């Protein structure tokens, strides 16, 4: 295929009033979301571009990079398309990008649970992107891409009772959070009996360390061990006189990064889960460190929906969709463009017809509302 480089720019813009905002102000979309945007072609001078179509593609791919299982033994790449649709926004016999109006588009994502967008991972990627293409007789004149941030619906719930650890010295208030949350705890200021049996004037120091681990398990590579890495950690120090009275205090234990990947276990390639580990150590001033009990470990769920928000009942997991429907993507796409398909039957994203609004008020019916001239003649 021959590529011709023309003297104009092609960009894809997303309208900010759709989706929800995440880290960096980037719009994010989920199952059932509708988003709109514009295809802009611009040039500093007037010129005629010999093109016959401007197309927009929306596609998603789940992939696994090449991984080294053992020394010199590699596991090949794997690409699993989730969907791919396209729509022709313009047809003609050439255009002038200097005067061509922006081309609007509207896309609806089906109520299907896909894996989340993942870019920064050692093995796994999942990308959602728009691709605008200017063509002439099958030759690509210009193309532009725009990444789409997708997040599935992962529910979270609060606990009615706190979770005790370290023989009741620390209590967690929840085990399910969303990115950007602070993991909080209630901690008792009383130390253990062995330490408290010393002189009442002894200064005691206690250190609480918390670490959040991300655990990735690849299903398609049996010989590759699970990948465990620390994505957040925090240390909290307290020093006080031992004669201080026992009391409970609030503790901001750990902040969950806003760009963390949510927990998911329904992908056919990889599963992501989280665990929180907490250590408590204490010592007298000038003495030795003493660990209070065993290391506390908690399974955490990093979701995308806040407490009390529920996912729609018609939500489907992408891996449960029959493969026959996935193989008939082009046929389903044509049916969706030519008919009003219900959300329950929609298994692919679809391009929707843009709604045009008029700036003027509707014309009044003269039979129901008299004209201004008739009213003025009766008054004077």
């Amino acid at each position: 295929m021959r590529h011709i480089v023309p003297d104009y720019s092609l960009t894809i813009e997303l309208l900010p009033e759709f989706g929800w905002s995440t880290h960096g102000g980037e719009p994010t979309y989920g199952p059932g979301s509708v988003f709109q945007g514009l295809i802009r072609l611009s040039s500093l001078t007037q010129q005629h571009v010999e093109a016959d179509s401007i197309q927009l593609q929306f596609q998603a791919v789940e992939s696994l990079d090449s991984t080294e299982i053992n020394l010199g033994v590699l596991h090949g790449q794997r690409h699993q398309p989730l969907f791919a649709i396209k729509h022709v926004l313009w047809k003609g016999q050439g255009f002038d990008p200097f005067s061509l109006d922006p081309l609007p588009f509207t896309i609806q994502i089906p109520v299907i649970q896909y894996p989340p967008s993942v870019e920064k991972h050692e093995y796994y990627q999942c990308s959602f992107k728009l691709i605008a293409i200017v063509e002439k007789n099958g030759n690509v004149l210009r193309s532009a891409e725009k990444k789409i941030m997708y997040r599935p619906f992962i529910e979270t719930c609060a606990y009615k009772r706190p979770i005790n650890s370290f023989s009741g010295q620390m209590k967690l208030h929840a085990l399910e959070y969303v990115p950007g949350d602070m993991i909080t705890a209630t901690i008792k200021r009383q130390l253990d009996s062995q330490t408290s049996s010393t002189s009442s004037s002894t200064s005691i120091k206690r250190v609480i360390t918390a670490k959040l681990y991300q655990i990735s398990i690849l299903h398609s590579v049996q010989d590759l061990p699970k990948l465990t890495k620390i994505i957040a950690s925090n240390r909290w120090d307290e020093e006080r006189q031992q004669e201080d009275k026992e009391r409970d205090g609030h503790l901001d234990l750990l902040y969950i990064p806003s760009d963390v990947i949510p927990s998911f276990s329904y992908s056919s390639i990889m599963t992501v889960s989280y665990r929180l580990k907490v250590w408590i150590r204490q010592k007298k001033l000038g003495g030795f460190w003493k660990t209070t009990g065993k290391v506390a470990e908690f399974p955490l769920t990093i979701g995308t929906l806040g407490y009390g928000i529920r996912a729609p009942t018609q939500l489907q997991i992408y891996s449960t969709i029959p493969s026959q429907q996935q193989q008939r993507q082009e046929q389903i796409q044509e049916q969706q463009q030519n008919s009003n398909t219900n959300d329950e039957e929609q298994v692919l994203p679809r391009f929707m017809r843009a709604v045009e609004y008029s700036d003027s008020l509707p014309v009044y019916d003269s039979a129901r509302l008299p004209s201004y001239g008739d009213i003025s003649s009766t008054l004077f």
Side-chain angles (χ1 to χ4, degrees):
M1 183 179 293
R2 185 169 60 93
H3 291 260
I4 304 174
V5 181
D7 187 20
Y8 64 92
S9 63
L10 174 67
T11 57
I12 303 175
E13 299 180 6
L14 296 176
L15 300 184
E17 55 265 29
F18 294 87
W20 63 88
S21 180
T22 56
H23 62 282
E26 184 178 6
T28 303
Y29 311 99
S33 292
V34 175
F35 61 93
Q36 292 183 348
L38 300 171
I39 305 297
R40 293 187 183 273
L41 296 100
S42 58
S43 175
L44 298 178
T45 60
Q46 292 185 351
Q47 56 180 308
H48 184 75
V49 178
E50 293 290 341
D52 53 25
S53 68
I54 301 176
Q55 303 178 10
L56 181 63
Q57 299 179 3
F58 183 31
Q59 64 182 31
V61 177
E62 194 179 13
S63 60
L64 178 66
D65 292 341
S66 297
T67 55
E68 185 174 5
I69 302 175
N70 295 311
L71 184 61
V73 180
L74 294 177
H75 184 277
Q77 292 182 341
R78 176 182 174 183
H79 296 274
Q80 178 174 310
L82 301 179
F83 60 79
I85 62 172
K86 67 178 180 179
H87 183 67
V88 178
L89 299 177
W90 176 88
K91 278 187 176 182
Q93 299 297 325
F95 60 86
D96 180 7
F98 184 80
S99 58
L100 184 66
D101 293 333
L103 303 174
F105 63 87
T106 304
I107 297 179
Q108 182 183 26
I109 301 176
V111 188
I112 292 179
Q113 192 89 312
Y114 295 111
S117 299
V118 178
E119 296 181 6
K120 300 178 181 179
H121 193 274
E122 287 75 4
Y123 306 134
Y124 174 86
Q125 281 79 38
C126 186
S127 62
F128 297 75
K129 61 182 177 180
L130 297 168
I131 305 175
I133 300 175
V134 180
E135 285 189 353
K136 173 65 176 180
N137 297 329
N139 295 324
V140 178
L141 305 180
R142 173 70 75 183
S143 65
E145 295 185 1
K146 180 72 174 180
K147 293 182 179 180
I148 299 296
M149 178 63 69
Y150 176 88
R151 285 291 182 261
F153 287 158
I154 308 297
E155 297 180 356
T156 60
C157 65
Y159 284 71
K160 294 183 179 180
R161 296 181 179 179
I163 301 95
N164 291 321
S165 61
F166 297 106
S167 301
Q169 288 195 37
M170 190 181 70
K171 298 179 181 179
L172 288 181
H173 304 294
L175 294 178
E176 299 182 2
Y177 302 89
V178 297
D181 276 354
M182 176 67 72
I183 301 177
T184 60
T186 300
I187 184 169
K188 287 187 177 181
R189 301 304 192 219
Q190 185 185 35
L191 304 183
D192 60 52
S193 58
Q194 294 182 6
T195 306
S196 60
S197 62
T198 59
S199 174
S200 60
S201 61
T202 302
S203 179
I204 302 298
K205 183 175 182 179
R206 178 162 54 181
V207 176
I208 300 177
T209 304
K211 295 182 179 181
L212 181 61
Y213 292 84
Q214 182 188 81
I215 304 171
S216 304
I217 301 177
L218 298 176
H219 302 303
S220 58
V221 186
Q222 300 295 334
D223 297 331
L224 189 67
K226 62 183 179 182
L227 175 65
T228 302
K229 63 179 181 180
I230 300 174
I231 63 169
S233 61
N234 190 26
R235 173 176 167 146
W236 183 84
D237 297 343
E238 179 193 43
E239 184 173 345
R240 68 179 182 87
Q241 296 298 318
Q242 194 167 316
E243 63 268 18
D244 293 348
K245 295 181 179 180
E246 176 184 352
R247 59 189 176 87
D248 293 346
H250 175 85
L251 175 63
D252 290 336
L253 195 62
L254 188 68
Y255 172 77
I256 301 176
S258 58
D259 59 347
V260 70
I261 303 171
S263 305
F264 66 98
S265 59
Y266 51 86
S267 170
S268 59
I269 297 181
M270 188 179 73
T271 294
V272 173
S273 60
Y274 293 90
R275 298 194 74 85
L276 174 68
K277 290 186 178 181
V278 182
W279 295 262
I280 296 182
R281 295 192 305 165
Q282 58 192 27
K283 71 173 182 177
K284 297 183 297 182
L285 186 62
F288 296 99
W289 284 106
K290 173 180 170 50
T291 302
T292 303
K294 298 181 179 180
V295 176
E297 187 171 352
F298 310 91
L300 293 190
T301 297
I302 308 298
T304 58
L305 301 178
Y307 298 152
I309 303 177
R310 294 291 172 256
T313 56
Q314 66 269 30
L315 183 65
Q316 303 180 64
I317 304 298
Y318 80 106
S319 56
T320 63
I321 300 175
S323 58
Q324 295 84 351
Q325 290 180 325
Q326 295 180 357
Q327 295 174 358
R328 295 172 55 245
Q329 288 188 4
E330 293 184 359
Q331 180 179 356
I332 295 176
Q333 178 187 354
E334 293 178 358
Q335 293 176 356
Q336 290 178 349
Q337 292 177 354
N338 298 328
S339 62
N340 295 325
T341 307
N342 295 329
D343 291 340
E344 297 181 355
E345 301 174 354
Q346 184 184 349
V347 296
L348 290 172
R350 61 179 174 182
F351 288 90
M352 304 177 65
R353 182 174 301 176
V355 179
E356 298 183 359
Y357 298 94
S358 176
D359 294 334
S360 60
L361 295 174
V363 179
Y364 289 109
D365 187 357
S366 58
R368 299 178 59 185
L369 183 66
S371 63
Y372 177 78
D374 295 338
I375 298 177
S376 60
S377 61
T378 59
L379 295 176
F380 299 100

